[in-house]
Amino acid sequence: LSVLNMLSGAIIHAEKSLTSSGNILASGTIATRGTLSGAALTVMNGTSYLMGNVGIGTATTAARLEITDSTNWSGGIHSNLRLTGTNFPALRFYATSPNKTSTINNDGAGGLSFYTNGTGDAAGSLRMGIEQDGDVVIGQSLSVATTALTVYGAAGAADFTTIKSDDVLKLA
């Protein structure tokens, strides 16, 4: 079959392969029963979904999403997953029943914030933060950290413990 200009019809069947030196545009559903491969796959507009497991960098997946990459990022850390956002990129954990959300996000200054007990799309309450300098705050906003570890109890600012970077914490 050789088409020089345009082909229109309900079905094109290729016994072995279907190739194009240009673009193939499909309106509707594209179903594959084998491997879809090529230089790049771009999905534009609308909602896209995959049924089954998805592997990035691997053909053998053991989870719904498995990312395998041995490329070193800065400091020898392997860059398996990168979340990018204009303001506060976040990783959201959502339980559909009972409609609860927990979130870990970049605080916009290089630290991490941990939120729990959110409802729906709401992040919830800030429970813990790690500031960009490594200080840890539990129970309050990040801006109150003045030592390596600051823990606020239920009574708020009147009931807290601070630990300096050279202190040793021992739990009984």
Side-chain angles (χ1 to χ4, degrees):
L1 172 65
S2 178
V3 178
L4 300 177
N5 286 319
M6 188 169 132
L7 173 68
S8 178
I11 297 174
I12 298 175
H13 176 77
E15 191 67 33
K16 293 192 180 214
S17 64
L18 176 64
T19 62
S20 170
S21 59
N23 296 325
I24 297 176
L25 174 63
S27 296
T29 301
I30 297 176
T32 65
R33 290 183 175 81
T35 302
L36 179 63
S37 62
L41 175 64
T42 303
V43 179
M44 299 171 56
N45 299 328
T47 300
S48 302
Y49 64 93
L50 299 171
M51 310 238 351
N53 294 350
V54 175
I56 299 174
T58 181
T60 57
T61 61
R64 287 290 190 194
L65 174 61
E66 185 164 328
I67 302 169
T68 302
D69 184 11
S70 60
T71 305
N72 282 338
W73 192 45
S74 64
I77 296 172
H78 295 288
S79 180
N80 288 350
L81 178 62
R82 176 178 173 174
L83 302 175
T84 303
T86 305
N87 294 311
F88 308 105
L91 185 58
R92 183 177 89 153
F93 303 91
Y94 176 65
T96 56
S97 178
N99 192 28
K100 289 295 182 179
T101 299
S102 298
T103 308
I104 302 170
N105 76 286
N106 179 315
D107 68 0
L112 290 174
S113 299
F114 296 79
Y115 294 82
T116 63
N117 203 29
T119 301
D121 286 333
S125 299
L126 178 64
R127 303 299 182 179
M128 184 177 87
I130 303 172
E131 291 190 335
Q132 65 272 16
D133 63 0
D135 289 351
V136 176
V137 178
I138 299 173
Q140 287 287 335
S141 66
L142 292 177
S143 61
V144 300
T146 56
T147 59
L149 175 63
T150 304
V151 180
Y152 286 82
D159 180 24
F160 67 93
T161 302
T162 60
I163 299 173
K164 297 181 180 129
S165 61
D166 57 347
D167 288 344
V168 175
L169 176 63
K170 293 181 180 176
L171 301 175

